[in-house]
């Protein structure tokens, strides 16, 4: 009987871990955005009041849409094809920027090599237990992120700076010039996502290469 119990307990423990951790193969994750300029004076940050960022995940594919009063910027990543496409829609101006994996790495070079120090501090966000970690970029910039190991995306390139975390970033900081931007998950849906969500538009956009987009400032 004792041998049976010794064998049974580890299996029960492993089953509990499996239940507690969900691999995100299909989900819609909505983030609210708050920008802190450190000043009471009006600034360009006011255009981002009420801005949101929504991430659509389907297998290894992802689409991130940031919507503000200025317009919409979407990033579609398809690792299987090695394709990254950025769509920028600001009024009548529409740009489609085609990027390679090397372009994507170059665009995120500031966030490469980030190291995380995990703390013992925890809190609950949207019902998920989150742990606070301090991230440090190679340039010495630091930021705070709260992540949960209960949700693990199949591909984490949609949040380049947080991709080495062992779970999903539920709240994290980012810099936008001299402004501190905080993203906090407000909703997670596991409803199926249409494959068309990851289709690339065939018309209506001015197509630019990554090099051209840097030259025009887009």
């Amino acid at each position: 009987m004792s041998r049976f119990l010794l064998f049974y307990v580890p299996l029960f423990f492993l089953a509990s871990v499996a239940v507690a951790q969900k691999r995100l193969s299909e989900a819609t994750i909505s983030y609210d955005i708050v920008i802190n300029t450190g000043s009471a004076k009006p600034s360009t940050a006011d255009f981002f009041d009420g801005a949101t960022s929504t991430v659509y995940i389907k297998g290894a594919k992802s689409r991130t849409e940031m919507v503000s009063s200025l317009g919409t910027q979407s990033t579609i990543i398809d690792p299987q094809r090695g394709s990254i496409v950025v769509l920028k829609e600001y009024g009548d101006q529409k740009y489609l920027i085609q990027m390679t994996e090397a372009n994507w790495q170059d665009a995120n070079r500031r966030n490469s090599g980030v190291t995380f120090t995990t703390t013992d501090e925890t809190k609950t966000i949207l019902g998920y237990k989150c742990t606070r970690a301090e991230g440090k970029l190679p340039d010495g910039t630091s930021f705070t992120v709260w992540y949960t190991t209960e949700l693990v995306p199949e591909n984490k390139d949609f949040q380049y700076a947080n991709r080495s975390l062992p779970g999903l970033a539920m709240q994290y900081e980012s810099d936008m010039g001299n402004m501190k931007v905080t993203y906090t998950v407000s909703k997670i849906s596991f409803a199926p996502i249409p494959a068309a969500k990851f289709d690339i538009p065939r018309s209506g956009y001015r197509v630019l290469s990554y090099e051209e987009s840097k030259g025009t400032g887009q």
Side-chain angles (χ1 to χ4, degrees):
M1 183 66 177
S2 60
R3 290 181 181 179
F4 172 77
L5 288 175
L6 288 173
F7 178 72
Y8 175 78
V9 171
L11 288 180
F12 175 78
F13 174 76
L14 291 175
S16 299
V17 171
V19 170
Q21 191 176 77
K22 179 180 179 65
R23 193 159 186 83
L24 284 181
S25 58
E26 191 152 18
T28 301
I29 309 166
S30 302
Y31 290 87
D32 288 338
I33 300 174
V34 174
I35 297 181
N36 181 14
T37 62
S39 172
K41 297 180 180 179
S43 68
T44 55
D46 295 335
F47 291 108
F48 290 92
D49 281 345
T52 60
S53 177
T54 304
V55 182
Y56 301 91
I57 297 173
K58 193 177 185 71
K61 297 180 181 180
S62 67
R63 176 179 180 134
T64 302
E65 295 180 354
M66 181 175 177
V67 181
S68 71
S69 60
L70 292 176
T72 301
Q73 178 170 314
S74 304
T75 303
I76 304 171
I77 302 176
D78 187 344
Q80 294 178 335
R81 294 184 178 181
S83 169
I84 300 98
V85 172
V86 177
L87 305 174
K88 296 189 177 186
E89 303 177 25
Y90 301 120
D92 295 332
Q93 301 181 53
K94 294 186 177 183
Y95 299 93
L96 188 156
I97 303 168
Q98 299 174 323
M99 304 174 70
T100 63
E101 291 184 14
N103 295 154
W104 184 242
Q105 291 173 6
D106 181 67
N108 288 281
R109 62 185 180 279
R110 181 173 180 265
N111 294 323
S112 296
V114 60
T115 57
F116 288 101
T117 302
T118 302
T119 72
D120 295 328
E121 191 175 349
T122 64
K123 70 176 179 179
T124 300
I125 300 176
L126 215 66
Y128 295 96
K129 181 181 178 181
C130 300
T131 301
R132 183 172 69 84
E134 292 298 323
K136 191 168 186 178
L137 300 175
D139 64 6
T141 303
S142 61
F143 63 96
T144 300
V145 57
W146 294 85
Y147 70 93
T148 179
T149 57
E150 296 176 28
L151 299 171
V152 183
E154 284 193 18
N155 188 297
K156 302 176 185 176
D157 275 351
F158 61 88
Q159 287 179 4
Y160 204 90
N162 298 322
R163 62 181 182 156
S164 64
L165 289 171
L168 176 68
M170 299 288 284
Q171 184 178 81
Y172 64 97
E173 296 174 344
S174 180
D175 290 333
M176 185 183 292
N178 295 323
M179 301 179 292
K180 181 74 71 176
V181 185
T182 302
Y183 297 77
T184 305
V185 171
S186 59
K187 181 181 179 181
I188 299 178
S189 170
F190 301 107
I193 300 171
K197 192 70 178 176
F198 306 91
D199 288 347
I200 308 303
R202 295 178 178 272
S203 62
Y205 290 79
R206 178 186 173 190
V207 179
L208 302 174
S209 67
Y210 174 61
E211 290 73 18
E212 289 172 333
S213 71
K214 292 196 296 183
T216 60
Q218 297 300 325

